[in-house]
Amino acid sequence: MPATPKVSIVLPIHNAGQFLQECIDSITKQTFSSWELLAIEDHSDDESHEILLSASALDSRVRIHENPGQGVVDALNHGIGNARGELIARMDADDLMCHTRIEEQVNHLEKDSDLGLSSSLVTHFPRSQGNERKGYEKYVQWTNSLITRNDLEANRFVDCTFAHPSVMFRKTIVEKFGGYSLGEFPEDFELWLRWMKSGVLMEKIEKNLLKWRDHPGRLSRRSSRYSQEDR
C-alpha cells in the first residue's frame, strides 16, 4: 500500500460512466500528489465499475470500495470512515477539479490551524441555453459572492453556502461532531449548519477551483431532498 496520504478524496459514484473518466483525469493531474481517491461504487449498472478498475490499475492511489449501504449519505460516511488522510476532499463524479485545487486547499488549511473547512469559488457549466439552468446560475453567483467566515455565517440559513464537491475539511471534525445524516434534507446543508453551530470555522479561497457540471441527471435535480423553488 502506498505511503499514508495527506488528503483523502471521497467520490461517491452511481451510474456516472458518462463523465467519470474526465473527473478522474482531473484528479490524477493535480499538482499536489499526496492523495488517495476513495471511489465509493453505489450499485451502478453502467460502465462505472470498469472505468474504476482501469483507473486503479494505472494509479495505485485509486481505491475502489463498494457502498455497504444505499445512496450518497451511506457512500460518503463509508468513504470518510475508510479514509487514511487527515484532510477529506469532497468530489462528485460529474465535476472537474482545476489542477491546483488540492494544493491550494491544503495550503489554506495549513496556514490557519483554527480553520476547519476550506472551500472555493466554482464555475457553473455548461452555459445555459434560454432559461433551462438560470436558477442554478443565480445560485452559483450567490455562493461565489460569499467568501469570508462572516459572509458564510451571516447567510447560513438562506441556502447552502458551498458547492458540496468544492470543500475540504479536517477528518478530526467528523470524529468530534459527526458525519453526514440521512433525512428529508440536503445532507451537505445539514452538515454545515451543524458544524457551524458547533463552532467550526469555514472560509473560501477566492479562486475558481472546481468546475461544477449541471445536467438533468445530477442528484440535486432528481431528488426532492434538494428542491428549491428558484432552481
Side-chain angles (χ1 to χ4, degrees), residues 7 9 22-35 61 91 95-107 120-121 123 168 205 207-211:
V7 178
I9 303 165
E22 192 177 6
C23 171
I24 293 173
D25 289 345
S26 77
I27 295 170
T28 59
K29 293 176 182 176
Q30 289 294 297
T31 56
F32 187 87
S33 62
S34 182
W35 54 262
R61 295 174 296 180
M91 188 58 178
D95 298 325
L96 303 173
M97 289 187 182
C98 297
H99 70 287
T100 62
R101 175 196 164 181
I102 299 299
E103 179 179 7
E104 297 203 42
Q105 288 188 299
V106 168
N107 290 341
S120 73
L121 308 187
T123 300
M168 180 185 288
I205 298 169
K207 291 183 180 179
N208 288 282
L209 298 179
L210 179 86
K211 294 182 179 180

Side-chain angles (χ1 to χ4, degrees), residues 82-99:
N82 285 276
R84 296 185 297 138
E86 64 185 78
L87 301 175
I88 306 295
R90 271 287 288 112
M91 188 58 178
D92 282 340
D94 47 3
D95 298 325
L96 303 173
M97 289 187 182
C98 297
H99 70 287

Side-chain angles (χ1 to χ4, degrees), residues 139 142-143 146 152 155-156 159-163 192 196 204:
Y139 172 68
W142 176 74
T143 61
L146 307 174
L152 297 168
N155 289 275
R156 67 190 185 278
D159 203 337
C160 189
T161 51
F162 304 108
W192 315 146
M196 283 185 181
K204 285 184 187 173

Side-chain angles (χ1 to χ4, degrees), residues 104-159:
E104 297 203 42
Q105 288 188 299
V106 168
N107 290 341
H108 191 201
L109 289 163
E110 287 191 335
K111 286 178 182 177
D112 188 346
S113 60
D114 292 329
L115 189 63
L117 181 148
S118 170
S119 182
S120 73
L121 308 187
V122 301
T123 300
H124 177 257
F125 82 106
R127 297 194 65 173
S128 63
Q129 302 295 321
N131 293 319
E132 62 184 281
R133 289 189 291 269
K134 289 296 185 182
Y136 256 105
E137 286 185 354
K138 290 179 180 179
Y139 172 68
V140 169
Q141 289 171 5
W142 176 74
T143 61
N144 280 348
S145 73
L146 307 174
I147 307 295
T148 68
R149 300 173 189 183
N150 289 338
D151 289 340
L152 297 168
E153 290 178 6
N155 289 275
R156 67 190 185 278
F157 296 123
V158 177
D159 203 337

